[in-house]
């Protein structure tokens, strides 16, 4: 039975793709090595536990964790720091924002083992005893929260926004805080709180 036009076209495409892959890969293998000789690199089992040592809110902390543990899960599940919230778990809402060596990081998107020896600050580490951080107080003064779920990430991100010097105008604050979503829509008050704090610190 003769092949149809579609079957012949599919065959030609497959032959072309196979030949292209072989030709493109040849220079990488070198003249004396065949594709069959290439060995896969040795991998470490993902479920093998690791010891991670961090400074969290000024305190040295050590935890034994699965290599696949996110920084957010380390903080919440292993260190009982529930300020950073698990919102979207995809890095889109900013509810899990923490400071890693003074830089804003979405804790849900990064593995804890990548931050061995790092200095982590969560919303719990911003106050000094009973004295609130100026931005925490400003959120209260300007009513910058409603349900409060996004507030820890908003405040932590806002502290970094001020430190980075991105508070020249309300528009600039909005731009640099755009990674933190407030489903209650308290944006105007959040911007006011950051604006006030930037002038005071």
């Amino acid at each position: 039975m003769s092949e149809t036009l579609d079957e012949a076209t599919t065959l030609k495409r497959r032959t072309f793709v196979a030949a292209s892959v072989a030709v493109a890969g040849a220079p990488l293998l070198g003249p004396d090595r065949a594709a069959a000789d290439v060995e896969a690199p040795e991998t470490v089992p993902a479920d093998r536990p690791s010891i991670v040592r961090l400074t969290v809110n000024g305190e040295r902390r050590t935890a034994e964790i699965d290599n696949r543990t996110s920084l957010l899960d380390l903080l919440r599940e292993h260190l009982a720091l529930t300020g950073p919230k698990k919102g979207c778990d995809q890095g889109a809402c900013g509810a899990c924002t923490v400071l890693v060596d003074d830089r804003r990081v979405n804790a849900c998107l990064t593995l804890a083992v990548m931050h061995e020896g790092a200095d982590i600050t969560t919303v719990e580490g911003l106050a000094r005893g009973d004295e609130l951080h100026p931005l925490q107080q400003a959120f209260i003064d300007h009513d910058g929260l409603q349900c409060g779920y996004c507030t820890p990430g908003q405040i932590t991100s806002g502290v970094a926004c001020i430190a980075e010097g991105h508070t020249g105008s309300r528009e600039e604050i909005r731009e640099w805080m755009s990674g933190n979503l407030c489903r209650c829509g308290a944006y105007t008050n959040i911007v006011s709180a950051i604006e006030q704090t930037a002038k005071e610190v």
Side-chain angles (χ1 to χ4, degrees), residues 13-182:
R13 282 193 198 127
R14 287 182 185 155
T15 305
F16 173 76
V17 170
S20 299
V21 170
V23 171
L28 301 175
L29 297 173
D32 300 325
R33 297 191 67 194
D37 297 330
V38 179
E39 295 179 4
E42 184 180 348
T43 58
V44 177
D47 59 352
R48 183 183 297 171
S50 290
I51 303 294
V52 179
R53 297 169 187 84
L54 306 161
T55 300
V56 183
N57 298 330
E59 182 182 346
R60 292 288 294 168
R61 305 294 297 266
T62 301
E64 182 175 332
I65 57 170
D66 185 299
N67 287 314
R68 297 164 291 190
T69 303
S70 70
L71 179 57
L72 179 60
D73 285 339
L74 169 66
L75 294 170
R76 290 181 59 83
E77 308 300 330
H78 295 266
L79 303 183
L81 293 168
T82 55
K85 297 294 186 277
K86 185 174 282 193
C88 65
D89 211 23
Q90 297 177 350
C93 73
C96 65
T97 304
V98 298
L99 304 180
V100 177
D101 296 326
D102 296 324
R103 291 186 310 108
R104 293 185 255 191
V105 169
N106 287 334
C108 72
L109 287 185
T110 185
L111 296 174
V113 292
M114 297 170 62
H115 301 290
E116 171 72 26
D119 190 351
I120 313 292
T121 303
T122 70
V123 71
E124 291 94 336
L126 294 177
R128 295 178 181 273
D130 293 333
E131 182 184 350
L132 295 178
H133 184 282
L135 187 56
Q136 291 174 310
Q137 185 61 54
F139 262 67
I140 295 170
D141 295 342
H142 290 276
D143 198 20
L145 62 152
Q146 288 188 43
C147 80
Y149 195 84
C150 74
T151 306
Q154 295 277 4
I155 291 174
T156 307
S157 190
V159 167
C161 183
I162 293 168
E164 294 159 6
H166 297 305
T167 57
S169 67
R170 293 180 68 86
E171 291 71 25
E172 185 178 13
I173 293 170
R174 286 190 193 96
E175 176 66 26
W176 286 91
M177 289 293 294
S178 61
N180 291 80
L181 303 182
C182 173

